[in-house]
Amino acid sequence: MVGKRRLGEIDYEIGGGNVFADIGVPEPEEALVKAQLAHQINRLIEQRGLSQADAAALLGISQPKVSNLAVGRLRGFPVERLMRFLTLLGNDVEIVVRPVAQEHGETRVTIDIP
């Protein structure tokens, strides 16, 4: 339920489920998917105890690019490249396509990370 609300003297707004859409980022679905994939990549790097230099060597990129991933600067990383990083970190990546749940429902892209 997106919209403005008031709690006492405080005005607030309920988001729509995608912060990138809420703040007007172009292509918000892609931005959300990239953020979710990068979060998972960073989590795996941390779990493995990899330094940024070690992660860079494994992923075939420079250490500054690993740093960009770590802080969410994702402009130079297409979704496909982020998925490739996940496979290099020992994960399967599945893409599932299914019909929209409702006749006039909004389409969406979701990432299911266990």
Side-chain angles (χ1 to χ4, degrees):
M1 198 174 206
V2 179
K4 293 186 179 195
R5 302 279 192 264
R6 185 164 189 80
L7 178 63
E9 295 184 22
I10 301 171
D11 291 330
Y12 65 96
E13 199 166 319
I14 296 175
N18 180 339
V19 67
F20 299 105
D22 293 344
I23 63 173
V25 170
E27 301 185 37
E29 290 291 333
E30 179 181 1
L32 180 60
V33 167
K34 287 170 68 170
Q36 291 171 323
L37 293 173
H39 175 73
Q40 183 67 4
I41 291 163
N42 288 316
R43 192 173 74 80
L44 291 166
I45 289 169
E46 184 178 323
Q47 281 179 348
R48 286 182 165 202
L50 298 173
S51 68
Q52 286 189 356
D54 291 338
L58 178 66
L59 300 177
I61 59 176
S62 66
Q63 179 276 321
K65 288 186 179 182
V66 174
S67 179
N68 285 343
L69 272 174
V71 297
R73 286 189 208 115
L74 305 176
R75 183 164 286 158
F77 296 100
V79 169
E80 296 82 3
R81 191 172 190 197
L82 296 172
M83 290 190 295
R84 177 72 179 136
F85 292 164
L86 287 168
T87 64
L88 290 169
L89 288 163
N91 289 263
D92 290 331
V93 176
E94 293 182 18
I95 298 172
V96 178
V97 178
R98 59 177 73 105
V100 174
Q102 302 171 16
E103 185 176 323
H104 297 289
E106 289 186 27
T107 59
R108 63 189 173 137
V109 177
T110 59
I111 304 290
D112 184 21
I113 299 173

